[in-house]
Amino acid sequence: MLPVTVTFLTPASMAANRLANFGAGPSALPESVLVEAAQGLLNFNNTGIGIAEISHRSAEFNAYIRHTAQLIREQLDVPPTHEILFMQGGGTAQFSAVVLNLLARHRLLHPAMDEKDRVLDYVLSGTWSQASYTEATRLAHGATVRIAADSRAHSADHKSFDGLPPHTAYSFSPNPVLIYYCENETVSGTQFSHTDGPDAFPFHLLPTEPLLPLVADYSSSFMSRPIPRLADHAVIFAGAQKNLGPAGTSIVIVRKDCIVDVDAALPFGGYPVPVSLAYAPYAAQDSMPNTPSVFAVYVVGLVLERMAALGGVQGCEEVNRRKMDSVYAVLWEGERRGVFRPKVRRGQGSWMNVTFGVCGDGAEKRFLDGAEQRGLKGLKGHRSVGGMRASLYNAVTEEWVDKLVAYMREFIEQETTA
């Protein structure tokens, strides 16, 4: 048998070897959280049992998951009208869950309505809103799934997601089952502004009926800045693996009137909903009708505690604004000098996912090779659209961003003097 060499690394030595991670997800996590999480694998909250071993029914973990939900409630100012759930399956599972739960709600509210008159409105602004729309067409079972606005119709080639729909393009249905939008599109790099104006989501155009079934996918921007008009939403969901923790858990903020007995809708044209996608069992059992993603929830809690100590979501917003401003400034400089090509119209680009192309034969490979040599990782764009993507999630430090900006400036000079 060959001898085996085991090397034990200290947290300091491991941190020294970390590279700048601009990947779109799973994404960077704070070093201090990773160190604490590693300790928790051996001993969770001084229980003498590791977090990956402890029972989810234990008093210690029950207290922890409630505490984690409370941290979200406090930092986002979630009102008591809404529950905070931890579910599994990522944002993709929520594409299905919102349809199934809100269709059941609509059938209970309007039992005599013809199925074709139940309408689900979708705003298409990128890859993930399109995927959610496609899933709704699979699950509607006779209900009407319609596009309330499509940004592709307003792009230069009428097929790219290079911006947001103008407010004049929106057409919302009266009394809809749901109105869906994706606040930040990870692939295309578009994002609704949180400042009132033409680049913000058009809340003023929504139907004025009470308890509007407004659904928002916040997967890649959750906890990066406050959520405008949060209380006016029926459902807000987000996968944890961008700003909050490892893949494995999703946070779902649900208004209580949308937590319904899905089986009660069966006599009115409904159909069975898998228990893993129904909101009611999660709300009734502290997000634990089955074993949750215990470790993922644990890391989410650690991240939220760190955020609270650093000023909460408002503190993240300030830092994220500085990071975003510096990257877009060098990107626009590169555009002016013919080196970079932004993929999104100005004012509609994402704070979290900056997408761009590199001009010239072989230039993208040169850019990626140079980034790799400088320890800048995860900059290659999504396989469906190509180009570059720099993801600036909460745990991406300003030091990392400064290194990226310096390299982009260096690359501009190289390409324009070669």
Side-chain angles (χ1 to χ4, degrees), residues 85-94 237-241 248-252:
L85 311 178
F86 296 95
M87 300 181 70
Q88 298 179 47
T92 301
Q94 291 306 309
F237 64 85
Q241 69 273 14
T249 194
S250 303
I251 295 89
V252 187

Side-chain angles (χ1 to χ4, degrees), residues 153-364:
H154 308 278
S155 66
D157 60 7
H158 297 286
K159 62 181 181 180
S160 300
F161 289 115
D162 64 359
L164 300 167
H167 285 183
T168 54
Y170 287 82
S171 172
F172 295 116
S173 303
N175 189 25
V177 173
L178 62 84
I179 297 171
Y180 168 97
Y181 72 100
C182 182
E183 190 266 354
N184 182 80
E185 290 279 2
T186 321
V187 174
S188 62
T190 55
Q191 184 175 26
F192 287 99
S193 171
H194 285 197
T195 303
D196 287 343
D199 300 325
F201 185 79
F203 292 102
H204 63 289
L205 298 177
L206 293 170
T208 56
E209 62 196 66
L211 299 179
L212 193 69
L214 181 62
V215 175
D217 178 353
Y218 264 78
S219 283
S220 50
S221 58
F222 192 68
M223 302 301 296
S224 66
R225 56 184 182 177
I227 296 177
R229 297 181 62 164
L230 185 151
D232 293 337
H233 290 75
V235 182
I236 294 171
F237 64 85
Q241 69 273 14
K242 310 296 186 180
N243 280 316
L244 279 183
T249 194
S250 303
I251 295 89
V252 187
I253 302 174
V254 190
R255 200 174 60 220
K256 291 179 180 178
D257 66 282
C258 297
I259 301 171
V260 301
D261 180 354
V262 292
D263 290 339
L266 294 177
F268 309 113
Y271 44 93
V273 176
V275 66
S276 60
L277 295 176
Y279 293 145
Y282 286 83
Q285 300 178 63
D286 282 332
S287 296
M288 293 185 289
N290 65 335
T291 306
S293 298
V294 174
F295 182 72
V297 172
Y298 173 57
V299 177
V300 168
L302 297 181
V303 171
L304 289 166
E305 288 173 349
R306 177 181 179 273
M307 282 183 60
L310 295 176
V313 71
Q314 288 81 8
C316 288
E317 180 181 29
E318 293 177 10
V319 174
N320 288 331
R321 185 187 299 277
R322 292 196 297 268
K323 294 188 299 187
M324 176 269 300
D325 283 344
S326 64
V327 173
Y328 276 109
V330 71
L331 177 59
W332 293 333
E333 177 188 344
E335 179 187 29
R336 180 177 58 81
R337 297 179 66 179
V339 176
F340 297 134
R341 183 181 67 258
K343 287 180 172 286
V344 177
R345 295 192 293 270
R346 289 200 185 196
Q348 299 179 353
S350 169
W351 286 34
M352 295 286 99
N353 311 103
V354 182
T355 57
F356 59 98
V358 187
C359 304
D361 291 341
E364 290 193 352

Side-chain angles (χ1 to χ4, degrees), residues 74-93:
E74 291 171 356
Q75 294 189 46
L76 285 181
D77 197 20
V78 179
T81 51
H82 290 62
E83 295 281 359
I84 298 172
L85 311 178
F86 296 95
M87 300 181 70
Q88 298 179 47
T92 301

Side-chain angles (χ1 to χ4, degrees), residues 19-22 319-330 351-352 354 375-376 379 390-409:
L19 302 177
N21 178 10
F22 295 95
V319 174
N320 288 331
R321 185 187 299 277
R322 292 196 297 268
K323 294 188 299 187
M324 176 269 300
D325 283 344
S326 64
V327 173
Y328 276 109
V330 71
W351 286 34
M352 295 286 99
V354 182
L376 307 173
L379 289 167
S391 294
L392 310 178
Y393 299 126
N394 287 354
V396 172
T397 66
E398 289 188 273
E399 179 185 3
W400 287 358
V401 171
D402 290 344
K403 290 180 179 178
L404 173 62
V405 169
Y407 170 57
M408 292 174 71
R409 287 208 170 95

